[in-house]
Amino acid sequence: MEVKRIGVVGAGQMGSGIAQVAAQAGFEVVLVDVAESFLERGLKAIQRSLSRFMERGRIAPQDLEATLGRIRTTVVLGDLAEADLIVEAIVEDEGEKRRLFERLGSLVKPEAILASNTSSIPITALARYSGRPERFIGMHFFNPVPVMQLVEVIRGELTSEETRDVVVEVAKRMGKTPLEVQDYPGFVSNRLLMPMINEAIEALREGVATKEAIDGIMRLGMNHPMGPLELADFIGLDTCLAIMEVLHRGFGDDKYRPSPLLRRMVQAGLLGRKTGRGFYVYDEKGNKVG
């Protein structure tokens, strides 16, 4: 199967990034969201990202225009009917994803592949909702998508080898490194990363050290580019909580129990950069100011 047209559902940070790298790779892209305002915001994010690449000499001005010309936006899910591959990048909520894939499974062409950018929800479950488990797979991109090299490729219980091979080839064409993992809660990336972030939050709650010290120790002592609390803000505390809950529920082990401080902050709407305040305070451009 040759993939020529890629659909992306969700024009947020992840979806707009996936649309960008797909269009840069030469694919025709249909970007879908529920409101024009979300699509406008997503396109502006793509334009900013491409402009930064151009300023750094990574792409030519004509490449910027060509990439944008390959992206079409719409609020009509049915416009994905002729897409060869559709990547879902909506909120990390199984109920929302279930409703989306139930609709997609019935409206796209029979040979189309459905993929989820979920960071933790079981692919086998999502595949069942789609009604086409053989042509369903996980494509877990990393933020920021235009910069990060990795794509976790997750086969469900019934995902065909052909589907896996097509998706691996698409990821490579996007300039990514696809690495295959098994369908376990959190896959590999978040099974390792989220407990570390959760433990950092617990250390802060217990008063072991200040947020600055916790992050500084991991940056300076472990050579991490970003401390775990700042990284949680970058990811979104609501997303961190959702992933921890998937791990806790999926493994039934209390070592994955979300920190009470994480729960309280999400309840208070302190979600990190996207709300202007999490463990740190951010300005309108997302720069840390306190």
Side-chain angles (χ1 to χ4, degrees), residues 156-207:
E157 189 66 26
L158 298 176
T159 303
S160 70
E161 290 189 9
E162 179 193 7
T163 296
R164 187 270 317 278
D165 292 345
V166 169
V167 164
V168 164
E169 184 57 36
V170 167
K172 288 180 178 178
R173 184 171 160 185
M174 290 179 178
K176 304 302 180 186
T177 300
L179 296 177
E180 188 174 350
V181 303
Q182 300 302 311
D183 189 18
Y184 282 82
F187 316 132
V188 170
S189 57
N190 281 318
R191 183 173 178 174
L192 302 182
L193 174 64
M194 285 301 159
M196 181 193 74
I197 288 176
N198 195 59
E199 195 63 27
I201 296 170
E202 275 293 88
L204 179 66
R205 185 179 73 91
E206 293 170 3

Side-chain angles (χ1 to χ4, degrees), residues 260-271:
L261 176 56
L262 176 59
R263 287 193 185 279
R264 288 201 305 272
M265 293 184 71
V266 171
Q267 289 167 353
L270 306 176
L271 308 183

Side-chain angles (χ1 to χ4, degrees), residues 145-159:
V145 178
V147 175
M148 299 296 281
Q149 184 93 18
L150 176 65
V151 175
E152 273 185 313
V153 176
I154 309 101
R155 289 175 66 178
E157 189 66 26
L158 298 176
T159 303

Side-chain angles (χ1 to χ4, degrees), residues 215 219 226-234 273 280 282 288:
D215 279 348
R219 284 197 314 271
M226 189 182 294
L229 300 175
E230 187 177 1
L231 179 57
D233 278 355
F234 183 73
R273 285 189 182 186
Y280 298 92
Y282 302 87
K288 189 168 67 173

